[in-house]
């Protein structure tokens, strides 16, 4: 029960924080982005909070910093579950879980293209 309450409180806090910031630090990243080639994987940015989601119900929160053409993400596992790390590192391919650093190749109102170590991820806004 305590774990469930902790989850609800943290989720509510992150939701309120991101709602109050109305995009804030997210700038051009603000909004929901779907991974090209996947109907289920998406990431959203608001304020300084990001949320990775899959249609199966998996979700992981993180904090991000957009600096020039660089994107830094630090994911947070609410319950400390290894499956959260697996979700980010294997399902999305973003590594390491607590210190993701990527280059923003392109960012406009419709497209987000990220790269790291020769790998490229394309997202579209929806």
């Amino acid at each position: 029960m305590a774990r469930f309450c902790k989850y609800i409180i943290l989720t509510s806090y992150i939701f309120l924080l991101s709602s109050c910031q109305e995009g804030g630090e997210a700038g051009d990243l603000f909004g929901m982005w779907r991974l090209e080639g996947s109907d289920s994987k998406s990431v959203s940015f608001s304020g300084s909070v990001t949320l990775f989601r899959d249609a199966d119900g998996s979700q992981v929160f993180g904090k991000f910093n957009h600096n020039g053409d660089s994107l830094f993400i630090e994911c947070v596992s609410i319950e400390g579950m290894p499956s959260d790390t697996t979700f980010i590192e294997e399902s999305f391919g973003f590594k390491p879980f607590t210190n993701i650093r990527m280059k923003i190749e392109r960012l406009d109102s419709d497209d987000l293209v990220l790269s790291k170590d020769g790998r490229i991820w394309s997202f579209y806004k929806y």
Side-chain angles (χ1 to χ4, degrees):
M1 180 66 168
R3 202 179 260 179
F4 177 73
C5 290
K6 178 181 167 185
Y7 174 78
I8 294 297
I9 291 169
L10 183 59
T11 302
S12 299
Y13 173 75
I14 290 172
F15 176 76
L16 289 173
L17 178 65
S18 62
S19 297
C20 293
Q21 292 181 352
E22 295 179 15
E25 299 171 28
D28 293 338
L29 287 170
F30 179 75
M32 297 175 66
W33 300 87
R34 180 157 292 161
L35 183 62
E36 290 215 12
S38 171
D39 289 335
S40 63
K41 294 176 185 62
S42 66
V43 61
S44 60
F45 298 92
S46 181
S48 61
V49 177
T50 186
L51 173 62
F52 294 91
R53 288 185 178 163
D54 197 331
D56 71 0
S58 299
Q59 63 179 19
V60 172
F61 289 97
K63 295 182 343 182
F64 77 92
N65 182 10
H66 174 201
N67 188 358
D69 69 348
S70 297
L71 179 62
F72 306 94
I73 302 173
E74 181 179 343
C75 294
V76 179
S77 180
I78 295 170
E79 295 181 10
M81 301 293 290
S83 60
D84 291 343
T85 302
T86 301
F87 174 61
I88 297 299
E89 292 185 352
E90 293 180 13
S91 186
F92 277 89
F94 295 165
K95 297 178 182 181
F97 182 76
T98 58
N99 190 19
I100 302 165
R101 297 170 182 254
M102 306 185 85
K103 181 177 182 191
I104 299 174
E105 299 289 341
R106 189 166 98 208
L107 174 59
D108 59 38
S109 60
D110 296 319
D111 298 298
L112 169 62
V113 179
L114 303 173
S115 69
K116 180 178 181 176
D117 300 329
R119 185 162 177 198
I120 295 177
W121 295 266
S122 295
F123 295 85
Y124 62 92
K125 199 169 235 180
Y126 74 104

